[in-house]
Amino acid sequence: TVDVGSLISSPSAANHELQKLSLALSSWGCFQVVNHGMTDSFVDRVHEISKQFFDLPKEEKHRYIREPDSIEGYGTDMIVAENQTLDWIDRLYLTLNPPNQVQLKFWPEKPETFREVLHEYSTKLQVLHDVMLKAMAKSLKLDESVFLRMIGEPVIMSARFNFYPPCPRPDQVLGLKPHSDGTVITFLLQDKEVEGLQVLKDGQWFRVPVIPDALVLNAGEHLEIMSNGEFKSPIHRAVVNSERKRISLAAPSIPHDGNEIEPVEGLVSEERPRLFRKMKYNGRTHLRYYQSGRRVVDDARI
Ligand code: AKG
């Protein structure tokens, strides 16, 4: 776990926390964010609106159905290839920021508090996002804004509500196929009670335990590139079970379209050769990576 309260308190507490953060990102590529400033009761409201939305009758949810060729809105796994293995999932995808890209027509009007709670969550996450990216830069002894400058400000963030229904044959399907995130970072609010997230390390799958009200932070592939491989973007998957439904809420951030992503200056030297070439970020292309099983880091590796 990384304690955000300590990160912004006394220098010695912050230093200790920064070391934990960089160790976690260089070995696992993820950690659990605790003491992040959101109250337990607020996080409960986020869980509530997610659950209430997926509990709505089908016709109501279908008011927000995804349009062809778009990722925004509600639907099952997207079909992009004939021989694709489908994920056992329903999903609601919404852009959170910047405001001019928000498509409010996809934001559910039921439950009544949905829009207000999601908006507040988004505002808080955007602040936390910058705090975490600055902490990551500091943990590598870099100027704190170096990653934020490269990805571009303000942050581009979306929300992906994942609903995994119980499955009579959980051994035959996956909620989400193994993948790493083509993002900068992803905040993940796991289901409060039902586990399902697993991370691959040294050829083995490890369960990520549920810590109520904590947020899992996954390093995205663009962070791996910017950090010249110091931080790893973990391969992870979601499993399902036969009895209980599970809901998670992922909030990925991505670079601005057209921004050039490459290892930052301070991390490339004679002793540390550059591992990745410069890539121009293109949202549309990168979205296809997940379905095709490709990884941005593999394409960018020298
Ligand atoms: C994603 O949305 O990218 C995830 O990996 C979600 C994993 C989960 O449901 O715990």
Side-chain angles (χ1 to χ4, degrees):
T1 63
V2 169
D3 181 319
V4 182
S6 301
L7 271 181
I8 50 182
S9 67
S10 71
S12 67
N15 266 339
H16 175 70
E17 226 48 39
L18 289 176
Q19 277 173 16
K20 275 168 51 185
L21 174 151
S22 95
L23 190 63
L25 289 183
S26 53
S27 52
W28 289 92
C30 59
F31 54 80
Q32 308 237 21
V33 187
V34 297
N35 199 9
H36 42 56
M38 289 184 233
T39 61
D40 296 358
S41 67
F42 178 69
V43 176
D44 275 345
R45 293 181 75 196
V46 180
H47 284 298
E48 264 312 288
I49 58 159
S50 318
K51 181 173 174 304
Q52 287 169 349
F53 171 75
F54 287 111
D55 279 348
L56 290 173
K58 204 159 83 193
E59 305 73 52
E60 181 64 29
K61 285 184 289 206
H62 279 216
R63 287 179 56 199
Y64 309 101
I65 204 102
R66 199 167 54 215
E67 288 161 3
D69 254 356
S70 160
I71 51 163
E72 196 92 17
Y74 171 71
T76 53
D77 192 11
M78 281 171 85
I79 301 174
V80 295
E82 251 179 48
N83 55 356
Q84 173 187 334
T85 315
L86 286 178
D87 290 334
W88 189 265
I89 199 170
D90 275 2
R91 191 180 281 146
L92 174 68
Y93 184 103
L94 303 170
T95 299
L96 298 176
N97 203 58
N100 64 358
Q101 286 177 26
V102 170
Q103 298 192 55
L104 211 52
K105 65 176 181 184
F106 291 110
W107 286 48
E109 287 175 299
K110 282 190 192 158
E112 264 171 29
T113 50
F114 188 99
R115 291 181 172 188
E116 171 200 324
V117 172
L118 183 60
H119 180 71
E120 191 175 340
Y121 184 58
S122 156
T123 309
K124 292 184 151 92
L125 272 192
Q126 286 167 45
V127 175
L128 190 60
H129 177 269
D130 290 7
V131 169
M132 296 318 291
L133 278 194
K134 285 181 180 173
M136 288 173 197
K138 276 202 235 164
S139 80
L140 296 170
K141 313 265 180 294
L142 300 166
D143 169 54
E144 66 172 18
S145 299
V146 71
F147 295 140
L148 289 170
R149 271 200 304 272
M150 192 170 278
I151 63 171
E153 291 179 88
V155 60
I156 303 185
M157 192 178 264
S158 52
R160 207 166 47 222
F161 293 82
N162 302 310
F163 174 79
Y164 309 96
C167 174
R169 293 296 306 273
D171 53 323
Q172 299 283 311
V173 298
L174 282 171
L176 276 181
K177 290 182 274 294
H179 67 285
S180 49
D181 293 344
T183 62
V184 178
I185 58 173
T186 308
F187 288 111
L188 183 74
L189 182 62
Q190 285 212 76
D191 194 288
K192 247 187 124 153
E193 290 161 7
V194 186
E195 257 183 30
L197 176 63
Q198 299 186 340
V199 174
L200 187 66
K201 188 170 189 296
D202 306 326
Q204 250 188 301
W205 288 105
F206 291 86
R207 302 164 24 235
V208 178
V210 171
I211 303 182
D213 303 316
L215 295 167
V216 176
L217 188 153
N218 275 331
E221 296 175 71
H222 292 95
L223 183 64
E224 179 166 338
I225 294 173
M226 292 192 294
S227 72
N228 201 22
E230 292 290 326
F231 296 155
K232 305 279 180 285
S233 176
I235 295 188
H236 55 287
R237 67 180 186 183
V239 298
V240 295
N241 70 80
S242 57
E243 274 129 45
R244 304 185 70 183
K245 59 188 179 196
R246 175 170 179 269
I247 298 175
S248 68
L249 171 52
S253 68
I254 54 171
H256 282 229
D257 251 5
N259 274 29
E260 292 182 323
I261 305 298
E262 63 178 330
V264 297
E265 237 173 52
L267 297 177
V268 181
S269 64
E270 242 170 71
E271 301 82 63
R272 281 201 237 183
R274 162 192 276 269
L275 296 181
F276 301 101
R277 65 191 166 83
K278 195 185 273 183
M279 299 274 282
K280 197 176 246 188
Y281 185 78
N282 175 326
R284 282 201 85 76
T285 322
H286 283 123
L287 276 175
R288 300 282 166 203
Y289 272 63
Y290 171 68
Q291 264 84 14
S292 59
R294 272 166 74 197
R295 299 186 77 211
V296 186
V297 279
D298 292 338
D299 283 4
R301 204 176 302 276
I302 292 172

